[in-house]
Amino acid sequence: MKIIDIHSHFNIGSKFDCAESEFNKRNFDFVKKEYADFGISAGGFCPYSSVSRDTDSFEKIYEDNEFTYRLSEENDFIYQWIVLHPERKELFNQIEKRITCRKVLGIKIHPYYHGYDINAYGDRVFSFANSLKCWVLVHPFPGKTMEL
């Protein structure tokens, strides 16, 4: 039986990465070792920096997506969720280009950390995903119900 982690993150050396501790380094080498130790054969990833709450990080999402794409091509166990912020037009273009690549799982949205109301962008995001016939992984607001 194969173990697959459908949703995970790692740090890439960005100023927008998550804090690390002695217990959890959160970098790629740490994740790779953790997967090997626990027998996890594959995972769907995007870097922590691409789901940062810092509004300055939104300009780096494209670059983070490209980094993860290259990493997925170089590592058998890495699959990619392409992060989309609905106010960033270049990300829609990037997704159209990459969505059919063999290691791309779909679109990842994070309205809570990116600071937007999914109800304001849901029609655009989900109709876009539907037109591409792809999955959308959503992090909803903690403790709130989404009404789409």
Side-chain angles (χ1 to χ4, degrees):
M1 176 173 75
K2 288 188 175 186
I3 301 171
I4 298 170
D5 179 1
I6 197 68
H7 170 222
S8 196
H9 302 279
F10 54 87
N11 284 337
I12 63 171
S14 168
K15 71 178 186 175
F16 303 111
D17 283 345
C18 274
E20 295 183 346
S21 69
E22 190 59 36
F23 171 72
N24 188 355
K25 296 293 184 192
R26 298 185 182 187
N27 61 35
F28 179 71
D29 291 335
F30 177 86
V31 170
K32 189 174 183 178
K33 181 182 180 324
E34 193 174 57
Y35 272 43
D37 289 350
F38 292 102
I40 301 170
S41 60
F45 288 90
C46 64
Y48 278 113
S49 55
S50 63
V51 293
S52 170
R53 291 181 183 192
D54 189 320
T55 56
D56 289 341
S57 73
F58 302 164
E59 293 179 18
K60 303 282 283 170
I61 295 171
Y62 187 98
E63 182 180 318
D64 291 349
N65 283 337
E66 289 298 303
F67 176 87
T68 308
Y69 175 77
R70 287 189 303 276
L71 199 62
S72 74
E73 289 295 301
E74 297 165 2
N75 295 273
D76 289 339
F77 77 98
I78 299 285
Y79 288 78
Q80 179 182 18
W81 289 104
I82 302 179
V83 176
L84 173 64
H85 188 300
E87 295 174 349
R88 308 293 305 192
K89 183 180 181 198
E90 73 276 11
L91 299 176
F92 285 90
N93 296 333
Q94 182 184 43
I95 290 167
E96 286 177 329
K97 175 182 172 187
R98 295 275 189 221
I99 200 65
T100 59
C101 296
R102 70 179 186 90
K103 303 276 302 273
V104 174
L105 299 172
I107 297 169
K108 163 82 180 282
I109 61 172
H110 212 310
Y112 179 66
Y113 276 3
H114 285 167
Y116 62 87
D117 182 353
I118 189 59
N119 295 304
Y121 294 98
D123 286 344
R124 181 174 184 210
V125 169
F126 295 113
S127 63
F128 175 68
N130 187 52
S131 74
L132 299 172
K133 308 276 189 268
C134 72
W135 295 98
V136 178
L137 177 64
V138 182
H139 264 288
F141 287 81
K144 284 183 81 176
T145 301
M146 293 188 332
E147 298 174 16
L148 297 175

